[in-house]
Amino acid sequence: MGKKKRPRRSCTPEFKAEIVELCRRGDRSVGQVAKDFELTETAVRAWVRQSEVDTGAREGLTSAEREELAALRRENRRLREDVDVLKRATAFFVRETR
């Protein structure tokens, strides 16, 4: 039989910070912390890795940079859609005036 899928749930930043702190103490492994709190080991490792990036111990995008990048990508997508609508409207009005 296959593994049973866990339902997707969201965790507060405070909870994630608490889990990361438990992993950093070193008295329990990441796998043990994940098992104790019924989390996936992959998720806990990702939280620890992101925490290391945020503190400067590891290279990568910080959480703030990731949020800014996501916002800029959303804005870029919206602006591209606006330009597309304007192009179609311009083409429509050019056809109508001829």
Side-chain angles (χ1 to χ4, degrees), residues 6-67:
R6 295 181 188 183
R8 187 170 184 88
R9 63 182 187 194
S10 61
C11 301
T12 64
E14 294 81 17
F15 177 74
K16 290 179 183 181
E18 196 175 311
I19 296 297
V20 168
E21 184 57 36
L22 286 173
C23 293
R24 282 200 180 140
R25 281 191 211 148
D27 51 338
R28 289 190 278 181
S29 68
V30 172
Q32 186 60 47
V33 171
K35 189 175 182 181
D36 291 347
F37 287 90
E38 297 181 359
L39 300 165
T40 63
E41 190 172 340
T42 305
V44 174
R45 286 190 190 283
W47 297 346
V48 170
R49 191 177 320 111
Q50 187 61 49
S51 175
E52 290 171 351
V53 169
D54 289 346
T55 59
R58 184 186 279 239
E59 290 290 317
L61 293 176
T62 64
S63 296
E65 291 170 333
R66 284 182 186 277
E67 288 174 17

